[in-house]
Amino acid sequence: LSGFISKDYAEFEHRMVKEDVARLRNAFENRIEDLDTKLGDWAQWDDTYQFIIDRDAEYTESNLQTEAFEVLKIDVVVITDREGNIIFSGQLVDGERRPILDSLTEFIRSRQFHYRGEEHVNRRGLLSLPEGAFVFAVRDVTSSDGTAESNGHILFGFFVSAETEELLSHLVQHKVRIDPVSAVSEDSNKVSSL
């Protein structure tokens, strides 16, 4: 009898773990989908498109103040031209906009991020950085009606914080902890597409 109970309990426990992992994955994917949706509004916007052309500081002064980062629930914004040159980058740290981390700059300048000709860039993923796990979404920048050829990219991202872990823990009813991948190769960051 105890053999049957142990086997049934083990199967039940295995099923419960699989369900918990599925709930966690869904919750995380929903957070990334929300990030990507917000990014879509900024990527297909005449003001962002024009900023890449003229680099007018009024765009960043009007639209990329610390309040925008807070409302969007992001830590990082990067805008590049089609060649991958960084036109704007900012990171919210302790309520202040600062330069982005060197590890993020390296990722932006890498081949994983650059313009790909006719291909539309619409990617999102989890990047393991020395500073922690970083969730990002990248899109082509185009006109508000979507008809203009892409002239660059925009990235929104956030670091997985204790607040993010608490939210995910609440959603799955279990303690969630996300640690950076320690087995990252020395010459490149590890990117996981979602």
Side-chain angles (χ1 to χ4, degrees), residues 132-148:
F134 181 71
V135 177
F136 70 94
V138 180
R139 285 195 179 215
D140 283 338
V141 173
T142 187
S143 58
S144 294
D145 63 7
T147 59

Side-chain angles (χ1 to χ4, degrees), residues 157-171:
F158 64 90
F159 284 92
V160 177
S161 63
E163 181 181 312
T164 305
E165 290 175 345
E166 277 183 42
L167 174 65
L168 293 171
S169 296
H170 176 72
L171 291 170

Side-chain angles (χ1 to χ4, degrees), residues 16 23 29 34 37 41 56 83 95 106 109 137 147 168 176:
M16 294 303 292
R23 277 197 306 272
E29 286 176 352
D34 179 57
T37 299
D41 291 340
D56 187 351
E83 287 78 33
E106 183 180 317
R109 291 185 175 148
T147 59
L168 293 171
V176 173

Side-chain angles (χ1 to χ4, degrees), residues 80-92:
T80 70
D81 62 19
R82 75 173 64 196
E83 287 78 33
N85 299 310
I86 297 173
I87 297 168
F88 171 85
S89 66
Q91 179 174 340
L92 191 64

Side-chain angles (χ1 to χ4, degrees), residues 109-146:
R109 291 185 175 148
S110 75
R111 293 190 157 271
Q112 299 173 45
F113 187 82
H114 282 187
Y115 181 73
R116 301 213 159 115
E118 303 269 333
E119 267 182 59
H120 289 287
V121 172
N122 182 4
R123 295 183 314 153
R124 47 198 189 179
L126 178 63
L127 183 63
S128 181
L129 297 173
E131 299 83 6
F134 181 71
V135 177
F136 70 94
V138 180
R139 285 195 179 215
D140 283 338
V141 173
T142 187
S143 58
S144 294
D145 63 7

Side-chain angles (χ1 to χ4, degrees), residues 29-170:
E29 286 176 352
N30 287 340
R31 176 69 173 95
I32 294 170
E33 184 67 34
D34 179 57
L35 176 72
D36 190 51
T37 299
K38 290 173 184 173
L39 177 63
D41 291 340
W42 286 66
Q44 191 171 331
W45 185 25
D46 289 338
D47 289 3
T48 305
Y49 191 84
Q50 189 60 40
F51 172 67
I52 291 174
I53 295 168
D54 63 24
R55 293 161 168 76
D56 187 351
E58 186 177 327
Y59 173 86
T60 58
E61 292 166 7
S62 299
N63 300 302
L64 293 170
Q65 296 301 320
T66 57
E67 295 80 16
F69 285 73
E70 292 165 353
V71 168
L72 293 166
K73 296 180 181 169
I74 59 176
D75 297 321
V76 174
V77 175
V78 177
I79 300 173
T80 70
D81 62 19
R82 75 173 64 196
E83 287 78 33
N85 299 310
I86 297 173
I87 297 168
F88 171 85
S89 66
Q91 179 174 340
L92 191 64
V93 179
D94 298 327
E96 292 182 25
R97 194 177 80 194
R98 298 191 182 156
I100 63 172
L101 298 168
D102 290 341
S103 55
L104 276 173
T105 301
E106 183 180 317
F107 170 67
I108 300 302
R109 291 185 175 148
S110 75
R111 293 190 157 271
Q112 299 173 45
F113 187 82
H114 282 187
Y115 181 73
R116 301 213 159 115
E118 303 269 333
E119 267 182 59
H120 289 287
V121 172
N122 182 4
R123 295 183 314 153
R124 47 198 189 179
L126 178 63
L127 183 63
S128 181
L129 297 173
E131 299 83 6
F134 181 71
V135 177
F136 70 94
V138 180
R139 285 195 179 215
D140 283 338
V141 173
T142 187
S143 58
S144 294
D145 63 7
T147 59
E149 181 181 342
S150 172
N151 66 351
H153 302 101
I154 183 168
L155 173 145
F156 281 0
F158 64 90
F159 284 92
V160 177
S161 63
E163 181 181 312
T164 305
E165 290 175 345
E166 277 183 42
L167 174 65
L168 293 171
S169 296
H170 176 72

